[in-house]
Amino acid sequence: FRDPERPIPGDPQLMVSPADGLVSDVEQLPHHDLLNGPCVRVGIFLSVFNVHVNRSPCEGKVTQIIYKKGKFINAMSHAAASSDNESNTLVLADPADRPIAVVKQIVGLIARRIICDAKIGDTYARGQRFGMIKFGSRTELYIPLWIEPNVQVKVGQKVRGGIDIIAKLSAVPAAAAQPGATA
């Protein structure tokens, strides 16, 4: 499994891609329970040829980890895969414990194994590795609208985890981690 070193952008206004792959959908949702309000979701499909390491999109403290058993529907069918497939969800928060990002690791038809090294209370720097999904899958990033995300990617665009910018934030939450911090 490839795991290249990457130059991570340092600007606190940026949310980077949590995965390598193809942007399959960008959608504004009226409410997400884990974010306590409206958000934007960016879905990324990982083929068997992509790097499968998942990275933190921003600085934040892990406040929840939710593992869900489920099916192994083809991850290209993003609506069904998102709701029905086996998944692991991380909630990242700022120092005031306000949720600022949700990253959901979703298995696919071939990918059957999620690895997540994160633990509740761990603090991650932007671009820091927290796990992987073996072989091919889907990763979703949910960003609350209260931090005013200006999405920088379009459906069909290829992205690289930790490098490519998913959104630029107008309302920057206080950083929970210093660059180079370890979990």
Side-chain angles (χ1 to χ4, degrees):
F1 295 99
R2 293 174 294 136
D3 184 9
E5 290 300 321
R6 301 221 164 129
I8 310 301
D11 185 342
Q13 289 184 289
L14 302 178
M15 277 232 187
V16 296
S17 181
D20 285 35
L22 189 70
V23 176
S24 60
D25 58 290
V26 177
E27 183 178 358
Q28 188 167 321
L29 304 174
H31 185 80
H32 191 287
D33 288 342
L34 297 174
L35 293 171
N36 303 315
C39 67
V40 64
R41 176 185 69 203
V42 177
I44 301 165
F45 174 74
L46 290 71
S47 80
V48 294
F49 301 109
N50 290 119
V51 170
H52 292 275
V53 172
N54 289 129
R55 295 172 178 263
S56 180
C58 59
E59 287 101 16
K61 180 176 79 172
V62 178
T63 58
Q64 292 184 63
I65 301 172
I66 303 156
Y67 172 78
K68 182 189 110 171
K69 287 189 178 232
K71 299 178 182 177
F72 300 98
I73 298 169
N74 187 332
M76 293 272 302
S77 306
H78 62 267
S82 182
S83 64
D84 297 343
N85 281 14
E86 182 173 318
S87 65
N88 192 62
T89 303
L90 266 67
V91 178
L92 297 168
D94 68 9
D97 282 334
R98 295 178 300 182
I100 54 172
V102 170
V103 181
K104 186 173 183 180
Q105 300 171 288
I106 304 167
V107 300
L109 185 63
I110 298 170
R112 301 276 175 131
R113 185 153 181 230
I114 294 173
I115 296 171
C116 180
D117 298 323
K119 294 175 187 56
I120 292 176
D122 285 351
T123 301
Y124 280 86
R126 177 182 302 98
Q128 186 176 351
R129 299 165 181 92
F130 70 83
M132 74 179 338
I133 311 170
K134 292 194 173 179
F135 299 121
S137 51
R138 178 174 168 79
T139 300
E140 295 176 341
L141 172 60
Y142 296 82
I143 308 168
L145 293 186
W146 72 266
I147 56 177
E148 302 172 25
N150 179 1
V151 176
Q152 305 288 302
V153 294
K154 296 188 181 339
V155 173
Q157 181 176 338
K158 289 183 181 180
V159 292
R160 295 163 298 161
I163 294 178
D164 292 327
I165 299 161
I166 295 292
K168 193 167 199 174
L169 311 176
S170 294
V172 181
Q178 298 302 317
T182 58

